[in-house]
Amino acid sequence: MPDRRETLLWLLRALALSAAPGMAIGSLNAEPRVIGGTAGAAGPPAAIHGIDADGYGRDPDLRHPRVTWPLTLEPEQKTAVAALADALLPAEEGSPAASALGVPDFLDEWISAPYPQQRTDREVILAGLTWIHSQTAHAHLSAASAEAVVARLSALAAAGREPQAHFFSRLRNVCLIGYYTSMSGVAQLGYVGYQPSATFKGPPPEVLALLGV
Amino acid sequence: MAAEPFDVIVVGSGAAGGTAAYALTRAGMRVCLLEAGRFYDPERETPMFQRTAAAPLRDAGTPDKPFGFYDATVDGGWVLPEEPFATAPGTEFRWFRARMLGGRTNHWGRVALRYADHDFKAYSRDGYGADWPFTYAEFASWYDQAERLVGVFGSNPGLPDQPDSPPGCLQPPPVPRSFERLIMAGGRKLGRPVVASHTAVITRPSNGRQACFYATPCLRGCSIRANFQSPTVLLPPARETGRLTTITHAQAYEVELGRDGKARGVHYVDRLTHRHHFVAGRAVMLGASAMESVRMLFNSKNSRYPQGIGADSGLLGCGVMDSTGSNVWGQFPQMENLPPFNDDGAWLPHVYIPWWAWPEQRAGKLPFARGYHLELYGGRLEPSADTFDFFDSVSPFTYGRKLKAEARRYYGSFVRLSQRGEMIPREHNRVQIDPVLKDAWGIPSLRFDVRWSEQELRQTAHAQQSMAEFIEASGGKLVAPLPQDPAQAILPPGRIIHEVGGARAGVDPEKSVTDAFGRVWGVPNLYVIDGGVFASSAHKNPTLTIVAFALRASDHLKRELHHA
């Protein structure tokens, strides 16, 4: 029976990797590289990535933002993502858990998006979820087992084990973005802004004292 | 169009074309402005108060919107399916385009520095490239006008590499933000200046524009018209004259000459209908962007100019430059766990680090001939998709309550220093027409052959070291060690979006493409007024110089047409 890590590595290889940078057409002296145009612009085959939607395009309505692609996580994947996100970013006093701030939906939006970074993350994260599924006896990831999985991923990542380290890094990064760019997350970090003012007075004296400037 | 006899056909509506439209219509001339992109109205379209939380992918950059969903650029980007270009084997070039009214004035860093006298005489001082065809003294009054028109905040610290502006040109700069004060303190330790940036944002109401209200991300554009964008600053007063006709979706591709050898008008293709049109005028000004204007000249072939108008000297397309660029990130323990406070300010740089080693360089004590300045970004801006980029290095493997504590601790404690340096113009760094490649409208495309030399690499090594010194002297730590090889640090040519040159202005028709006013040699009523004319490109961001040059060229054309 193959090692489960081996399975995951195989999966990652099978799903690899992104589009070729373009196709050479014509030359003055030698073959140049072409940036843009239709040649080679199609990207990786949709069948492998599971994403064939269009993006929001180059001229979306900026004042009425809208996600234009369908979400693609299966319900059980979404449940697992919620459990993992809550293990990464749990509820504390005055600070909700990731799932309460819509992080699983955001992760679904992210990995369902038809853009290169998100397609790459999709491969890594879906393969990771498959690995986790293969590691656990139950169909649903409980909170306790999610914590154990995250602890184990962290330990494997700390030991330099790939592809777990990469999976942990990408999962954590997408969850951090989803959490801390939400309105609650922004407030938790102490960002203050979008307040029109006739003047800008600079940082308050107590901050300057803390900074020593 | 037959009903509308135009004095001047202006191609492009950005810093160059917008300025010409402004100056010429106000001088009484009827102008036809050709813009490749769509109509764009920042007052109506800018997502001023939309929050990151509401944007797809939380405003992360994508190929559709490289600087984020809310970024002002629409119908633009690095890779445009309809508009391919080629790069020579073994080279890289990034070419950012914005097909919209106002072009790239809608998204820019808005750092607006004057060239010094020695910047106009770069060849005379070190033997590289070519001098500009005028001195600072001859050009200074155009900078004065450009600063008043654009609206620039800044100060006059009397530095050798940064000419002071006369009274009444600059607006008061806002006070520095927290991270800027840290770097200023570091600069004092190092004995290097950190001074008010010159930034194209107004801090006092002027010309009917509202002052900055210190509240929204500048790169989205500005519906209150406090920052400089052509569609809010240049085009409304031009429209008010009743003498401006704007044609959008008009991809200009050829200048036609009459039997007298003068330009008689411009051919364009409507990007939506693919129909071809011709519009006639008494003069033509190309402000399509440096590379697009060069492309148009190459594509304007006729029996007199079989290689394209302006190609006689063999220099058309030669001497393409970008600014050098590299970054170093610092993490500042003093900035950790600060109490909440509003540090948005004008969003763009309040301060910058001018080129302090110019006297040393002039004395031949540095291993590179041209200078750089440093810009600062970071601090407590709204959390974004980039905010946690460094968590794998500063807080690896953390999760749970610890991770949340680390997020609160590190937020706002990162500062990026960015090098913006001068690239030496070299004739072999060039664009040509690719023999095969065409855009979606059948117009021959450009092929770039641009590479950094040892000069830019040595400058970058120096800049990387300087940025590390600034971070450490300011109490910060480098997020990652500096690369051993500056080639790993320097960004690819084009990436800073300061590409200029290719239609160099000069005094000798054998050694330049245009005269000192941007007139293409041999065609007295055809002007290049954008970055194409740059004989050299100081480390100072090109937009202010483009606006000043376009004002000067427009004034020249006005006098020429009056004489005629």
Side-chain angles (χ1 to χ4, degrees), chain A residues 28 59 90 109 115 169 194, chain B residues 38 57 64 382 392 404 447:
Chain A
L28 297 184
D59 189 11
E109 172 190 327
Y115 296 114
S169 163
Y194 293 92
Chain B
R38 70 164 172 87
L57 306 176
D64 281 337
E382 185 183 20
D392 283 343
K404 292 174 87 172
R447 178 169 169 189

Side-chain angles (χ1 to χ4, degrees), chain B residues 194-524:
Chain B
V194 183
V195 300
S197 175
H198 287 208
T199 302
V201 172
I202 57 173
T203 55
R204 298 290 182 272
S206 61
N207 296 336
R209 293 162 61 193
Q210 195 177 325
C212 182
F213 62 13
Y214 309 106
T216 63
C218 216
L219 294 181
R220 295 180 185 180
C222 193
S223 68
I224 67 165
R225 304 166 69 213
N227 77 19
F228 174 77
Q229 295 173 262
S230 172
T232 52
V233 178
L234 301 175
L235 299 180
R239 244 178 249 129
E240 277 167 26
T241 65
R243 288 185 285 271
L244 179 67
T245 300
T246 304
I247 306 178
T248 51
H249 304 291
Q251 179 75 43
Y253 61 90
E254 184 184 345
V255 178
E256 186 178 311
L257 303 185
R259 287 208 187 88
D260 57 1
K262 289 186 177 175
R264 59 176 294 266
V266 172
H267 291 274
Y268 68 92
V269 57
D270 184 312
R271 287 160 69 110
L272 301 181
T273 65
H274 289 245
R275 287 211 183 96
H276 291 255
H277 302 270
F278 176 76
V279 58
R282 296 166 69 202
V284 173
M285 286 191 146
L286 303 182
S289 83
M291 298 302 111
E292 286 291 357
S293 291
V294 167
R295 180 184 175 207
M296 251 186 102
L297 290 173
F298 271 129
N299 284 332
S300 299
K301 293 179 183 175
N302 51 52
S303 56
R304 166 62 187 85
Y305 299 103
Q307 303 300 316
I309 296 172
D312 278 4
S313 66
L315 288 172
L316 184 62
C318 294
V320 171
M321 297 163 274
D322 185 28
S323 295
T324 55
S326 76
N327 299 318
V328 178
W329 281 94
Q331 194 276 323
F332 290 79
Q334 312 97 299
M335 301 272 287
E336 293 173 13
N337 287 316
L338 289 178
F341 65 101
N342 186 340
D343 213 18
D344 276 354
W347 211 87
L348 293 173
H350 293 198
V351 304
Y352 89 116
I353 299 166
W355 176 225
W356 65 90
W358 153 240
E360 206 178 332
Q361 187 168 55
R362 181 174 46 192
K365 291 179 185 163
L366 296 179
F368 52 98
R370 306 281 172 91
Y372 62 86
H373 72 261
L374 303 176
E375 298 179 6
L376 320 177
Y377 298 92
R380 300 178 66 84
L381 292 174
E382 185 183 20
S384 73
D386 304 329
T387 296
F388 299 98
D389 279 359
F390 302 117
F391 257 55
D392 283 343
S393 38
V394 298
S395 185
F397 324 124
T398 52
Y399 60 94
R401 299 167 80 92
K402 169 82 171 160
L403 177 59
K404 292 174 87 172
E406 295 276 84
R408 291 189 295 270
R409 171 186 166 192
Y410 283 111
Y411 164 66
S413 73
F414 296 95
V415 178
R416 187 186 93 200
L417 271 68
S418 291
Q419 166 203 10
R420 295 287 179 268
E422 177 163 357
M423 176 186 185
I424 288 174
R426 295 175 191 275
E427 284 173 17
H428 62 72
N429 286 326
R430 65 193 302 196
V431 290
Q432 294 167 278
I433 294 296
D434 189 275
V436 182
L437 198 61
K438 290 183 166 72
D439 67 18
W441 301 276
I443 307 166
S445 299
L446 287 178
R447 178 169 169 189
F448 289 76
D449 188 350
V450 180
R451 44 197 105 201
W452 301 126
S453 74
E454 273 302 311
Q455 281 280 341
E456 286 81 36
L457 294 174
R458 281 186 226 130
Q459 180 203 76
T460 298
H462 190 275
Q464 286 269 305
Q465 191 60 44
S466 301
M467 291 190 276
E469 287 163 12
F470 262 103
I471 288 166
E472 282 162 1
S474 310
K477 298 181 287 200
L478 300 191
V479 169
L482 299 182
Q484 292 289 312
D485 181 357
Q488 314 249 284
I490 195 168
L491 294 164
R495 177 60 188 80
I496 304 303
I497 323 183
H498 292 170
E499 80 282 354
V500 294
R504 175 202 295 166
V507 291
D508 180 350
E510 302 288 312
K511 293 179 181 170
S512 54
V513 176
T514 80
D515 72 8
F517 294 99
R519 288 191 299 178
V520 178
W521 291 114
V523 188

Side-chain angles (χ1 to χ4, degrees), chain A:
Chain A
M1 187 179 161
D3 181 66
R4 278 168 178 146
R5 279 197 312 279
E6 289 298 311
T7 310
L8 181 51
L9 277 169
W10 175 86
L11 251 175
L12 283 172
R13 284 192 203 107
L15 294 173
L17 255 183
S18 53
M23 205 176 124
I25 306 172
S27 67
L28 297 184
N29 304 306
E31 291 290 299
R33 200 158 67 94
V34 173
I35 292 112
T38 47
I48 289 182
H49 293 271
I51 297 291
D52 58 3
D54 290 331
Y56 46 64
R58 283 182 282 148
D59 189 11
D61 183 346
L62 304 187
R63 308 224 302 174
H64 302 94
R66 198 167 65 82
V67 174
T68 52
W69 50 90
L71 305 185
T72 58
L73 279 183
E74 301 293 339
E76 59 271 26
Q77 291 174 317
K78 192 80 162 277
T79 309
V81 163
L84 292 167
D86 284 353
L88 284 165
L89 298 160
E92 293 175 280
E93 175 122 17
S95 169
S99 56
L101 295 184
V103 171
D105 289 335
F106 171 69
L107 187 136
D108 197 358
E109 172 190 327
W110 186 276
I111 67 166
S112 303
Y115 296 114
Q117 173 68 53
Q118 287 72 23
R119 284 176 191 266
T120 306
D121 284 344
R122 176 183 185 80
E123 290 161 3
V124 172
I125 288 171
L126 291 187
L129 293 179
T130 304
W131 175 72
I132 289 168
H133 188 64
S134 73
Q135 298 273 300
T136 49
H138 307 293
H140 292 290
L141 203 56
S142 69
S145 58
E147 276 171 41
V149 165
V150 165
R152 177 146 173 241
L153 274 171
S154 165
L156 289 169
R161 204 72 79 72
E162 292 294 355
Q164 286 87 346
H166 194 47
F167 171 54
F168 181 77
S169 163
R170 293 313 305 148
L171 178 71
R172 191 177 76 149
N173 183 254
V174 177
C175 288
L176 280 168
I177 295 170
Y179 192 93
Y180 286 109
T181 60
S182 71
M183 293 304 278
S184 164
V186 163
Q188 289 181 53
L189 292 183
Y191 169 73
V192 182
Y194 293 92
Q195 298 171 330
S197 166
T199 56
F200 177 68
K201 296 197 169 65
E206 59 270 30
V207 168
L208 295 180
L210 286 167
L211 295 178
V213 294

